[in-house]
């Protein structure tokens, strides 16, 4: 990892995760709590013991004698989950967190360790070592944040692929979490050069499944003696279902919230809490989103911003100072265009109605980006 000065953007150092915790990979989407602690997940392939998924915490507070040391030097292991298949760990890009639990989705989109180990010698790319098993299931691991132990109930759903979690929270002894899901792994194929270069990009990609925001609800009171064949979800604002099977496991069916949006974001002060709005890039058969949107989970309605020949980045929500309402703030998005008469610009929208407040042009070439992050000025 590179250490970057938030004021100057200069690289001030480099840190190797593995000097502090036995990890080979870590997600791009850590979580933060109200105390400033950071939580993340990674894969441990070569550490002591069998391979596992590792949940770890980087504490916010440093002892007086250790303030000059990197934060990762204080990393703490919270818990771990053994691989379901030793040589085929699940690919994961993010995970969920509520006030009391972590949610890890062990999906049937898997990394073939043997193929990966020999990829260099065979002259193939990393992506070719991933495979999707449509006949497998998707496991939902629920880990207690305090004890690091998994709940005993086995929750699962049909095969799916997920990259991004939106949010997760607890309500009336239910665990609710929202994700952007796919029916298969064809999204990866959209980014191969032969598909990007085609003259009819939209038509060539119509066979790829669209991203779908789905809500899963896990009844935490479910157990092996719960009645069979009955939906145990009692929340009134969702159609998600959870039904105990004959073996005591719980099969979960999602509530579809919205179709055609990726790179989701929320007002992060509502992370781990019940929320209403999320923002993201509209995806319509193209890897180049030309719209950004706000979705109302309650009404299932959405509003959009778009401009001809412009490609906005993932929208980032920034709350107004002293904001009391969830959507009181602005949306930031960096926008590029192939039109030489349109300079790259930072777009600022009113988060409530998506009306443009301002834009700031940048006299430089800017590449299309994926994830963005707002860092407030030090006070």
């Amino acid at each position: 990892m590179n250490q970057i000065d938030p004021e100057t953007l200069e690289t001030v150092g480099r840190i190797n995760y593995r000097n502090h915790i036995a990890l080979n990979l870590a997600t791009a989407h850590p979580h933060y709590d109200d105390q400033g602690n950071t939580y993340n997940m990674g894969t441990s392939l070569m550490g002591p013991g069998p391979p596992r998924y590792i949940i770890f915490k980087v504490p916010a507070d440093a002892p007086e004698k250790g303030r000059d040391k990197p934060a990762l030097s204080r990393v703490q292991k919270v818990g771990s989950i053994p691989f379901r298949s030793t040589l085929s760990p699940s690919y994961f890009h993010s995970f969920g967190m509520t006030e009391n639990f972590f949610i890890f989705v062990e999906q049937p989109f898997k990394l073939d360790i043997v193929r990966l180990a020999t990829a260099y010698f065979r002259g193939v790319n990393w992506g070719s070592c991933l495979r999707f098993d449509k006949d497998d299931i998707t496991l939902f691991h629920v880990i207690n944040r305090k004890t690091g132990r998994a709940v005993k109930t086995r929750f699962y759903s049909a095969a799916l692929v997920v990259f991004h979690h939106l949010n997760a929270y607890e309500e009336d002894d239910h665990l609710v979490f929202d994700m952007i899901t796919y029916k298969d792994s064809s999204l990866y194929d959209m980014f191969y050069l032969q598909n990007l270069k085609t003259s009819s990009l939209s038509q060539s990609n119509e066979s790829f499944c669209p991203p779908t925001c789905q809500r899963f609800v896990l009844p935490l009171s479910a157990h092996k003696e719960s009645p069979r064949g009955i939906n145990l979800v009692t929340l009134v604002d969702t159609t998600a279902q959870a039904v105990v099977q004959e073996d005591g496991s719980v099969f979960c069916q999602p509530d579809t919230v919205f179709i055609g949006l990726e790179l989701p974001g929320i007002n992060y002060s509502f992370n781990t809490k019940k929320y209403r709005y999320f923002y993201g890039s509209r995806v319509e058969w193209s890897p180049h989103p030309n719209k950004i949107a706000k979705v109302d989970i309650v009404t299932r309605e959405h509003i959009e911003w778009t401009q001809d020949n412009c490609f906005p980045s993932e929208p980032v929500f920034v709350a107004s100072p002293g904001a009391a309402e969830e959507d009181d703030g602005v949306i930031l998005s960096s926008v590029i265009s192939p039109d030489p008469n349109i300079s790259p610009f930072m777009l600022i929208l009113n988060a409530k109605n998506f009306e443009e407040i301002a834009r700031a042009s940048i006299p430089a070439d800017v590449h299309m980006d994926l994830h963005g992050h707002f860092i407030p000025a030090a006070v």
Side-chain angles (χ1 to χ4, degrees):
M1 293 180 62
N2 288 320
Q3 288 181 286
I4 298 175
D5 187 308
E7 297 292 333
T8 66
L9 300 185
E10 294 290 334
T11 301
V12 296
R14 301 188 71 180
I15 299 176
N16 190 332
Y17 259 111
R18 287 177 286 183
N19 291 339
H20 307 286
I21 188 170
L23 287 179
N24 300 94
L25 300 168
T27 82
H29 297 279
H31 282 286
Y32 312 94
D33 64 19
D34 293 338
Q35 289 73 47
N37 301 305
T38 301
Y39 301 87
N40 206 348
M41 284 194 66
T43 303
S44 178
L45 300 172
M46 310 299 291
R52 290 176 171 269
Y53 309 106
I54 305 293
I55 304 169
F56 61 94
K57 170 184 175 180
V58 181
D61 295 329
E64 196 64 37
K65 292 183 178 180
R67 292 190 183 277
D68 58 338
K69 296 181 180 180
L72 278 175
S73 65
R74 306 187 303 277
V75 68
Q76 302 169 4
K77 178 180 172 182
V78 176
S80 66
I81 305 162
F83 290 1
R84 190 152 54 107
S85 175
T86 302
L87 295 178
S88 299
S90 172
Y91 171 85
F92 61 101
H93 185 70
S94 61
F95 64 103
M97 186 176 82
T98 70
E99 183 179 352
N100 296 294
F101 299 98
F102 298 107
I103 305 105
F104 171 59
V105 178
E106 192 172 16
Q107 59 187 329
F109 188 34
K110 304 173 184 178
L111 179 63
D112 188 319
I113 297 298
V114 175
R115 287 181 60 84
L116 179 64
T118 60
Y120 176 80
F121 303 101
R122 293 183 293 112
V124 299
N125 61 44
W126 191 89
S128 69
C129 302
L130 290 164
R131 60 181 178 84
F132 175 68
D133 186 352
K134 63 181 178 61
D135 298 317
D136 201 352
I137 62 171
T138 302
L139 274 177
F140 301 137
H141 298 279
V142 181
I143 312 299
N144 187 298
R145 283 179 57 180
K146 293 180 180 178
T147 67
R149 296 176 181 174
V151 301
K152 294 182 179 180
T153 305
R154 188 173 189 257
F155 297 100
Y156 73 101
S157 75
L160 57 80
V161 171
V162 59
F163 298 99
H164 295 113
H165 286 247
L166 280 80
N167 197 6
Y169 60 91
E170 299 159 45
E171 182 180 12
D172 295 338
D173 209 23
H174 294 75
L175 195 155
V176 181
F177 61 101
D178 301 334
M179 308 185 295
I180 303 296
T181 70
Y182 297 83
K183 293 180 180 178
D184 56 40
S185 59
S186 57
L187 173 72
Y188 260 71
D189 297 331
M190 186 186 293
F191 291 91
Y192 277 93
L193 288 177
Q194 64 266 28
N195 292 323
L196 292 174
K197 291 179 178 178
T198 181
S199 59
S200 181
L201 190 65
S202 175
Q203 184 177 356
S204 68
N205 287 329
E206 287 185 1
S207 61
F208 301 148
C209 63
T212 302
C213 175
Q214 293 189 313
R215 168 162 291 183
F216 288 87
V217 181
L218 312 184
L220 295 173
S221 60
H223 52 80
K224 288 188 176 182
E225 281 69 46
S226 295
R228 270 55 172 167
I230 298 175
N231 179 23
L232 299 182
V233 177
T234 58
L235 301 181
V236 298
D237 58 354
T238 181
T239 60
Q241 297 187 19
V243 179
V244 179
Q245 306 300 295
E246 288 303 320
D247 63 356
S249 62
V250 180
F251 179 69
C252 303
Q253 291 183 299
D255 175 7
T256 296
V257 177
F258 190 79
I259 298 175
L261 183 143
E262 248 292 6
L263 304 177
I266 63 169
N267 177 345
Y268 199 78
S269 64
F270 281 77
N271 193 50
T272 75
K273 303 177 180 67
K274 189 170 184 177
Y275 71 118
R276 179 168 181 170
Y277 306 107
F278 65 92
Y279 313 87
S281 299
R282 292 283 278 124
V283 179
E284 297 171 324
W285 312 120
S286 168
H288 308 304
N290 62 357
K291 302 175 184 178
I292 52 177
K294 172 187 179 181
V295 178
D296 185 327
I297 296 174
V298 174
T299 65
R300 306 297 168 98
E301 297 175 345
H302 77 286
I303 53 177
E304 297 178 344
W305 179 92
T306 186
Q307 180 176 318
D308 289 344
N309 218 17
C310 286
F311 300 96
S313 70
E314 165 193 356
V316 175
F317 177 88
V318 180
S320 299
E325 297 180 315
E326 181 184 344
D327 60 348
D328 183 1
V330 298
I331 293 295
L332 304 180
S333 177
S334 61
V335 183
I336 62 173
S337 172
D339 186 340
N341 296 314
I342 302 177
S343 298
F345 60 92
M346 175 62 71
L347 175 68
I348 305 173
L349 303 177
N350 184 323
K352 285 185 175 292
N353 54 26
F354 260 42
E355 292 182 358
E356 183 172 333
I357 296 174
R359 63 175 65 185
S361 296
I362 305 168
D365 292 333
V366 176
H367 298 285
M368 178 174 284
D369 62 36
L370 288 177
H371 298 311
H373 188 66
F374 175 77
I375 302 176
V379 178

